[in-house]
Structure formats: C-alpha cells, structure tokens
Amino acid sequence: MKIKALACVVALAFASSAWAAKEGTATGTINKIKTDSESLNISHGPISGLGMDGMTMDFNVMDPSMLEEVAAGDKIDFTVEEAAGGRYVITDIKVIGKGNVAKDDGHNHSH
Ligand SMILES: [Cu+2]
C-alpha cells in the first residue's frame, strides 16, 4: 500500500511544522533590567511575527549573560520567541543606540 505510506509521511511533516515556535523581531528601548527574574522591561514597537502591537512589557532572556550586555535606556533590536505557556523569550539582542548616561546629581527624574 504505497499510497497509504505516503499519506502518513505528509501528516507527520504537517504535525512537526505546527510545533515550530513563533518568532518575531522588533526594536525597543530598555526601561529596566531585572536580574532576579532574568527579564527585561522593554517598550517595543510592533512585532509582526507574533502579531503583537507596540507596548511596554517584560521579556525573559534566553541566557542571563544577555542582561550584562545592555543598560537601561539602551535602544535595541531583538529577536523574541513565543515559548510554551505563552512566555516570551528573547533569543538575540543587539544594542543599536546607547541610552542617556545617568547624571550623578543624586536624584531620579521621572517624566
Ligand atoms: Cu508586547
């Protein structure tokens, strides 16, 4: 039964592609680095691959060392993957503009 065997292979290929993680890229600005939860709070633009509009939210990072490559205020290009359980995990990050260097005047400003 050659035809039946072929149908089986097609079904398997379809099933495996349905399991592929959704991925998208976006540009954003880092608001806060959260080392304890290994995440970044980012104001990001639209992420077409994930069907997400621009917003401010937390993202987990794939590797904690990524937190050391960035600073609050940095403008970044990043790649994010939708992981199991609806978590968003940053798999790649690139600083495209350094944020304002914090002025050492003894107090924080909020705008
Ligand atoms: Cu978002």
Side-chain angles (χ1 to χ4, degrees):
M1 291 288 279
K2 261 187 184 160
I3 290 168
K4 194 175 180 183
L6 182 64
C8 195
V9 169
V10 171
L12 273 173
F14 182 77
S16 62
S17 71
W19 275 104
K22 275 203 272 177
E23 192 182 81
T25 55
T27 299
T29 303
I30 295 173
N31 299 312
K32 201 171 181 189
I33 298 164
K34 302 179 169 181
T35 44
D36 46 343
S37 57
E38 293 178 0
S39 61
L40 293 169
N41 184 269
I42 298 171
S43 295
H44 67 78
I47 309 177
S48 58
L50 301 179
M52 192 188 281
D53 289 333
M55 68 178 82
T56 297
M57 63 186 278
D58 286 352
F59 288 98
N60 287 106
V61 290
M62 198 169 182
D63 187 323
S65 70
M66 291 168 129
L67 301 176
E68 290 157 25
E69 297 164 21
V70 296
D74 282 358
K75 211 167 175 240
I76 54 163
D77 269 345
F78 64 101
T79 303
V80 58
E81 197 176 279
E82 188 173 356
R87 283 189 337 134
Y88 293 102
V89 180
I90 292 177
T91 55
D92 191 42
I93 197 163
K94 188 178 153 208
V95 175
I96 57 173
K98 293 306 277 180
N100 295 325
V101 176
K103 284 179 191 147
D104 190 21
D105 59 359
H107 53 266
N108 295 317
H109 299 278
S110 53
H111 300 277

